[in-house]
Amino acid sequence: MQKVIDNWRGFFLPYQMALHELESDFKIIDLAWKTQHGYSPIEHMKTRMKTIKSLVEKIQKKEIHLTQEAVRNEIRDIAGVRIVTSFIEDVYMLKEHIEQREDIRIIRVKDYIQDPKMSGYKSLHLIVETQVILSNEILWVPAEIQIRTSAMDFWASTEHKLNYKYQGETIPEDAKKQLIELAKASSLMDKEMSRLRAKLLSN
Ligand code: 0O2
């Protein structure tokens, strides 16, 4: 049993390393942009390892074999970074930056800003592989980078809290509709903020 536990502990190690890499990459970007332009697209950033509960639920939902290889291949969001920006343009500026990096490979783009989820959820998700350099090998470790504005983040984190109570059950229809309306209101705020910035920059 102890061997199994040790094996799985070892399984998570590369993901933790990947999170350190990504956190440091984005801290450097933040610093460089602030120094060069007096402004950084990164408002704040958070990293997280998927919880065991969430991982087990996903394994069951996707009917994945409980082998390390299957979990490694099928579940790409064990390591996650969330970057919050002030403006919607900054989301895509960061995406362009990531596309140009040689130490991060974009595997898949899920653009829930262009194509929001039924719930109203908006965010840009990049499924990536990031380089982790060890003393004797180079690993490419999967991670998910979620990039969204403060307004989208406020909506998502609040909706998550409201939904938590209803896990496994259906949230009432009127509450769902209200959340969709609130998502629209937050999109409007993003648009107006961008418009205001463009106006101020053109003065
Ligand atoms: P956790 O671990 O709790 O953060 P796929 O891997 O593509 O087969 P998945 O993972 O369902 O399927 O992909 P999706 O929907 O692109 O991304 C899931 C993550 O996006 C969620 O993480 C949330 O962080 C976020 N998300 C997606 N839809 C919603 C929504 O309606 N409301 C909120 N608040 N967040 C959402 P998890 O799965 O909860 O994992």
Side-chain angles (χ1 to χ4, degrees):
M1 188 61 189
Q2 188 56 44
K3 204 167 166 217
V4 175
I5 293 171
D6 288 345
N7 267 340
W8 278 95
R9 196 171 287 137
F11 172 82
F12 289 103
L13 195 59
Y15 297 100
Q16 276 157 348
M17 291 170 175
L19 280 188
H20 284 304
E21 284 289 349
L22 288 168
E23 188 173 24
S24 130
D25 290 344
F26 290 114
K27 275 187 179 162
I28 291 169
I29 294 169
D30 183 50
L31 190 61
W33 255 311
K34 272 184 189 144
T35 312
Q36 286 162 18
H37 312 290
Y39 164 82
S40 163
I42 301 173
E43 173 59 33
H44 62 265
M45 172 180 61
K46 221 159 84 178
T47 60
R48 73 106 182 83
M49 283 289 286
K50 201 169 186 67
T51 61
I52 298 291
K53 181 174 175 283
S54 177
L55 183 60
V56 169
E57 279 168 6
K58 198 161 184 175
I59 289 169
Q60 286 168 346
K61 195 173 116 196
K62 291 187 149 197
E63 297 180 355
I64 296 166
H65 282 294
L66 199 52
T67 65
Q68 294 193 358
E69 198 192 350
V71 175
R72 195 177 293 120
N73 291 336
E74 298 291 328
I75 301 191
R76 317 293 286 181
D77 65 342
I78 293 173
V81 180
R82 182 171 297 150
I83 301 173
V84 176
T85 69
S86 297
F87 299 98
I88 203 157
E89 294 77 9
D90 293 340
V91 171
Y92 293 99
M93 192 161 110
L94 279 164
K95 175 177 177 265
E96 269 170 37
H97 170 82
I98 295 167
E99 280 166 349
Q100 284 159 18
R101 291 185 73 109
E102 288 184 358
D103 57 346
I104 302 178
R105 307 197 278 230
I106 299 183
I107 305 297
R108 191 173 163 203
V109 177
K110 296 197 251 180
D111 192 341
Y112 299 126
I113 296 176
Q114 291 299 319
D115 192 10
K117 289 204 148 191
M118 292 279 282
S119 59
Y121 176 76
K122 283 188 170 193
S123 184
L124 180 74
H125 292 191
L126 306 178
I127 311 300
V128 303
E129 286 177 349
T130 187
Q131 204 178 47
V132 174
I133 302 174
L134 303 179
S135 55
N136 55 351
E137 62 179 328
I138 294 176
L139 306 175
W140 285 93
V141 184
E144 180 179 75
I145 305 176
Q146 298 184 350
I147 316 175
R148 59 202 193 206
T149 63
S150 298
M152 293 171 199
D153 191 56
F154 169 69
W155 184 93
S157 56
T158 312
E159 186 258 8
H160 182 74
K161 280 179 198 148
L162 293 174
N163 259 314
Y164 195 77
K165 179 168 155 349
Y166 284 94
Q167 273 192 357
E169 296 168 42
T170 319
I171 183 166
E173 270 314 305
D174 57 337
K176 267 192 205 167
K177 281 190 190 142
Q178 207 174 341
L179 282 166
I180 292 169
E181 289 309 311
L182 287 165
K184 286 182 192 156
S186 78
S187 297
L188 186 66
M189 195 150 96
D190 273 335
K191 280 189 194 120
E192 288 303 315
M193 285 294 188
S194 288
R195 229 163 52 156
L196 187 59
R197 178 167 75 159
K199 193 171 142 191
L200 293 175
L201 287 176
S202 70
N203 282 342

